[in-house]
Amino acid sequence: MATEPDADAGAARSTAMAAFGEGDIQAGMDQLSADVRRFAAAGDPRQAAMACARLGWAFETFRANRAAARAWFHRAARLLEDEPECLEQGWVALAGVGCDVDDPHELLKRAELALDRARRFGDVDLEAKALADGGLAQVEAGNLVEGMSMLDEAVALWCGPARDQDAACMGVCSFFTACYYAGAFDRVGHWLDDLRRVGLVGAVPGGPAFLSSHCDAVQATALMELGRWTEAEAVLARAVTEFEACMRLPSWHPAIALADLRIRQGRLGDAEALLLGKEAHLQALLPAARLHLARGDTDLAIATASRGLRMVGSDLLRAVELLAILTEAELAAGKVEAAGEACGRMTERVTGLAVPRLAGMAGAVEARVLAAKGDLVGAITGMEQAVDGLPVGLPVMKVALGLELARLHEQAGNRAAAQVEAGRVASVLSGLDVTVPPRDLELLERLAHGRAASRTVTLRCGPAAWAVECDGVRIRLAHTKGLRYLAMLMSSPGVERHVLDLVDQIEHVVPDGPDRHRLGDAGELLDGTARQAYRRRVEQLREEIEDALAIGEDDRATQLQRECDELVAQLAAAFGLSGRSRRAASAAERARLNVTRSVRTAIARIRTDLPEAGDVLDRRVQTGLYCAFEPDPTDPVRWIVHP
């Protein structure tokens, strides 16, 4: 039978966690704040510390505010400094989600303390959480066998005697994260039925909904690696819809995974919108850095990767990927010496890691550095080894590296070898459902098929229908607003158009009232140049926040976080994202939804009969509050519009 204080604490915790589960974040945080004051006033430092720890977790999880979270975690630890050894010390040590802890050495240290308290006082729930976080730390540090064994033991406890669902959800999150970074996708499938059976994964508000969406993100990532991108997109779209309907909150893990897919597809504007406000979290670091690199903003890519490296400490798995991005960004910036230094650090960390995906990535990056230094022979040898070392389960990476190998052979003057590699790539690619970058398509056309890709597609408006022509193929499309919007954008390449301008011009609206661009908006909208400046300032602030936290200046970190949050809110307004910066009933929001739906439908109709031409449009047409057609000289087809 629980003592009265314990029962009171349990009821307070249940109230707060129920509010979080229903998506009422502020109510849950208000409840925890009240609990801190009440337990402190009652002279109960242990329960006050537990409430502080949960409040820190809430700031970290729901507000992405690491500065405030750190302050509450520190307060929780201070409240227990003079207490004899107790269970609460173990729970406070593992108060947050394991995958949000930067340094695996620090996470392992906390997990060992918690495991000691759990086994000493017989708390199987704390034991399972400690095993999960400790296992994640071991995996991140490169000890995959030991780490996965600990994670399996933790999941077995949650499928058996452990009963604390909140702790289980945080621990299973650590399990999914470890499987994601180690590429152990089959392990997720092994436990999934049991996790569903005990109610830890499912469309139920609270932890199960978070875990269900996290599991979907991991499975979609596996589909991406296998080259099944349409399936991956369907899984992620469903996960986002189900989570947001269940939780009344923006989705997290599936949104980040979908951003990664959008980057691969070349839809960079969509990727940025999905990542906005999430870049401070470890899970979003890699796609954020990749996004900057894909945009050609090497300074921002270098800054983001460097910040991430400071955050992850001794985490080998994430460090290898961040160093790979850093090396590529330095190469793109023409800083070959700096790229070589970053590559050396990457090689040191990847040595001995039994993760084929990371080994292949590292080998390819090393080859790129050699090529930049003029050592084509060494680059070709390194790329060949990277390609040959890839297992069958990584066909997308095999295609990417095979294309680079073909390009290196061609650069070295060995066209025959280049054609052989291009043929191998074309063979693998024929069985994949992926978007191939224009530069790679051109290479395949030139080497594997012996002709260059320089086709022209015309979109012409006729009196009865639209006509699309390419290589003698002519299709007719009925008049729609989507095609008219599309033609307007394509008539002015590179020019951003506000959705209200598009609607007004197509519907011949004559403005005679208040400026509709401001109806329902949260503030001044940003043009492309201003958004770029905001991105750079946000990254600078995130770096300053990490520096302040590293030296214990929590108050300064909190002030910087406020400024960062304000800038992110303004960026969200510019992108027309949901939340406080956009009113769902605004004229601009209605126009954004209608124009986006109409344009994407029009592109899909073209894509049905002319897949390659439609793919170019899908990549190059950006939709949102601002829309634009941004063609690239390397595109395999060139669009000409006669509106």
Side-chain angles (χ1 to χ4, degrees), residues 84 102 107 167 202 285 327 368 386 407 429-430 440 577 579 635:
D102 303 346
L107 180 60
L285 264 175
T327 303
R368 291 175 201 133
R407 190 170 282 113
L429 197 55
S430 65
D440 291 338
L577 300 179
D635 286 339

Side-chain angles (χ1 to χ4, degrees), residues 127-367:
E127 181 180 10
K129 176 73 160 64
L131 285 167
D133 287 359
L136 172 61
Q138 293 283 15
V139 169
E140 291 173 337
N143 304 318
L144 271 64
V145 174
E146 182 176 357
M148 286 300 182
S149 176
M150 293 173 68
L151 285 158
D152 282 340
E153 184 178 354
V155 179
L157 287 174
W158 285 315
C159 294
R163 288 291 178 265
D164 188 323
Q165 189 178 72
D166 296 326
C169 287
M170 287 192 283
V172 174
C173 188
S174 292
F175 169 66
F176 285 159
T177 299
C179 292
Y180 172 83
Y181 284 111
F185 302 118
D186 290 345
R187 215 179 202 98
V188 174
H190 175 76
W191 284 107
L192 190 53
D193 288 342
D194 285 327
L195 290 170
R196 286 199 176 109
R197 175 179 55 79
V198 296
L200 285 175
V201 172
V204 179
F210 274 100
L211 286 182
S212 183
S213 67
H214 194 172
C215 181
D216 286 335
V218 174
Q219 291 185 314
T221 300
L223 291 171
M224 283 185 241
E225 297 291 350
L226 290 170
R228 294 156 60 181
W229 287 8
T230 300
E231 285 183 65
E233 184 167 356
V235 168
L236 293 171
R238 175 185 54 76
V240 168
T241 300
E242 289 181 355
F243 179 86
E244 294 183 355
C246 184
M247 291 295 295
R248 296 184 296 159
L249 291 169
S251 67
W252 191 260
H253 292 289
I256 292 172
L258 185 56
D260 187 25
L261 178 58
R262 293 293 183 240
I263 294 167
R264 297 184 191 213
Q265 293 171 328
R267 295 169 60 176
L268 305 185
D270 292 344
E272 181 175 6
L274 288 162
L275 291 174
L276 193 59
K278 302 178 178 72
E279 309 96 318
H281 277 266
L282 290 173
Q283 296 96 316
L285 264 175
L286 287 165
R290 290 191 191 105
L291 174 61
H292 299 318
L293 184 59
R295 271 208 170 103
D297 193 334
T298 55
D299 289 344
L300 207 46
I302 290 169
T304 303
S306 298
R307 173 170 62 89
L309 286 166
R310 288 199 301 277
M311 290 174 66
V312 302
S314 56
D315 183 336
L316 294 183
L317 275 67
R318 282 184 278 209
V320 168
E321 295 202 60
L322 286 166
L323 283 165
I325 294 171
L326 179 59
T327 303
E328 292 190 45
E330 298 283 16
L331 284 175
K335 302 174 182 177
V336 178
E337 185 175 343
E341 189 275 333
C343 183
R345 293 162 59 195
M346 178 197 65
T347 303
E348 179 182 347
R349 285 163 175 77
V350 79
T351 302
L353 278 181
V355 183
R357 181 178 62 86
L358 293 183
M361 177 190 299
V365 171
E366 290 170 8

